[in-house]
Amino acid sequence: MGDIFDTHSHYNDSAFDSDREELLGSLFAGGLCAAVNQGTDVPSSEWGIEYSKKYKGMYAAVGLHPECLSENSFEDLKVIKKLAGFPKVVAIGEIGLDYYYDIPRELQKDIFIRQLELADELSLPVNIHDRDAHGDTLEILRKYKPKGILHCFSGSTEMALEVVKLGMYIGFGGVITFKNARKTVEAARAVPLENIVLETDCPYLSPVPNRGKRNDSSNIIYTAQTIAEIKGLSTEEILKATKSNAERVYNVSI
Ligand code: NI
């Protein structure tokens, strides 16, 4: 134990308001060695930095999520740039494209690309959200070649392998344990273990057997079990390998 590295979490979410300190205390005292809180806007990015001071294992990613864009986003980018310089900020995230919601696509692409350029300028990895936008995401990744993680992977095996070829990591979470996740299982089978990291996206996307309940980093064990079955390895081996992958991509040493 002690090998759970949650590369993508949202502990600032109001779902944790009633018991956040108790929960984080018990997670970090248990199997969780590190959690990266993803920023979706300026306040959640600031939150991650504040909490990274409170807990040794807490790290922050700062960024603007495609669902959180507005006419203020260009101003917000300046704040994100400043926040990115704080200690324990390990990535620009959560950034990317979301075509499920009706958010102007040109604005999404513009803000996404500016954040990729910022990450490059600051030599930081990125954490990327891609929902129903595989074509444009891949096109942008090919062009800008960022370092980092494509989170909550939902694309094809072919796309996963191309992302890996670009030198990126694939984040798998609770979805891989769902009954209808055949495509994701096939992608995980094809992606080399050296390119896989684990995540929750908590409070969302709890794995089976806790599907539908509030998610937290302890549930990563179920995702690791599923990947262990796919890869023919033990759960411990998966946790160990993905922890060391996460340390490599986020440039931290736990
Ligand atoms: Ni997320």
Side-chain angles (χ1 to χ4, degrees), residues 8 10 38 65 94 129 151 201:
H8 189 115
H10 299 279
Q38 299 291 325
H65 189 288
E94 168 177 4
H129 172 103
H151 117 89
D201 206 16

Side-chain angles (χ1 to χ4, degrees), residues 9-243:
S9 63
H10 299 279
Y11 281 108
N12 58 288
D13 194 280
S14 60
F16 297 109
D17 282 354
S18 60
D19 62 347
R20 182 176 291 109
E21 308 298 330
E22 210 183 315
L23 175 67
L24 286 172
S26 77
L27 288 171
F28 283 124
L32 181 64
C33 66
V36 177
N37 202 76
Q38 299 291 325
T40 55
D41 54 14
V42 167
S44 55
S45 297
E46 288 171 335
W47 187 99
I49 292 169
E50 278 316 301
Y51 266 70
S52 75
K53 295 175 193 163
K54 282 193 184 187
Y55 294 94
K56 189 168 164 271
M58 181 72 85
Y59 294 84
V62 299
L64 305 178
H65 189 288
E67 278 174 53
C68 300
L69 303 183
S70 70
E71 63 273 22
N72 281 330
S73 297
F74 294 95
E75 283 305 304
D76 288 346
L77 279 179
K78 295 178 192 161
V79 185
I80 294 296
K81 184 174 181 178
K82 238 185 259 169
L83 294 177
F86 277 75
K88 293 183 85 177
V89 172
V90 294
I92 301 295
E94 168 177 4
I95 63 174
L97 301 175
D98 195 316
Y99 291 174
Y100 180 79
Y101 293 106
D102 195 17
I103 305 152
R105 293 183 181 186
E106 287 313 308
L107 176 66
Q108 290 194 49
K109 284 193 233 177
D110 191 356
I111 299 288
F112 180 30
I113 288 168
R114 284 167 194 255
Q115 293 184 100
L116 292 176
E117 288 171 341
L118 175 63
D120 185 51
E121 182 189 330
L122 302 175
S123 297
L124 283 172
V126 292
N127 199 286
I128 292 177
H129 172 103
D130 156 27
R131 189 175 188 192
D132 296 348
H134 301 326
D136 284 355
T137 300
L138 202 47
E139 196 182 312
I140 289 170
L141 295 183
R142 276 191 207 116
K143 184 163 176 203
Y144 292 89
K145 299 188 172 57
K147 301 271 169 255
I149 298 166
L150 184 55
H151 117 89
C152 192
F153 185 74
S154 61
S156 63
T157 298
E158 201 185 2
M159 179 179 180
L161 292 178
E162 183 160 358
V163 169
V164 165
K165 225 168 135 191
L166 291 170
M168 294 188 72
Y169 293 73
I170 307 282
F172 290 106
V175 170
I176 202 167
T177 68
F178 296 175
K179 247 193 195 145
N180 58 358
R182 183 166 305 170
K183 208 171 89 176
T184 311
V185 166
E186 285 317 312
R189 201 186 308 281
V191 172
L193 182 55
E194 308 86 76
N195 291 87
I196 293 178
V197 294
L198 302 182
E199 61 172 60
T200 54
D201 206 16
C202 66
Y204 312 106
L205 298 173
S206 267
V208 174
N210 293 323
R211 188 172 181 181
K213 297 185 191 151
R214 185 183 76 173
N215 199 4
D216 69 55
S217 306
S218 63
N219 282 323
I220 277 188
I221 199 87
Y222 301 112
T223 304
Q225 271 169 13
T226 302
I227 294 179
E229 281 164 30
I230 295 168
K231 295 290 190 192
L233 294 168
S234 70
T235 304
E236 288 69 28
E237 285 170 313
I238 297 296
L239 288 175
K240 230 185 166 81
T242 53
K243 175 194 170 193

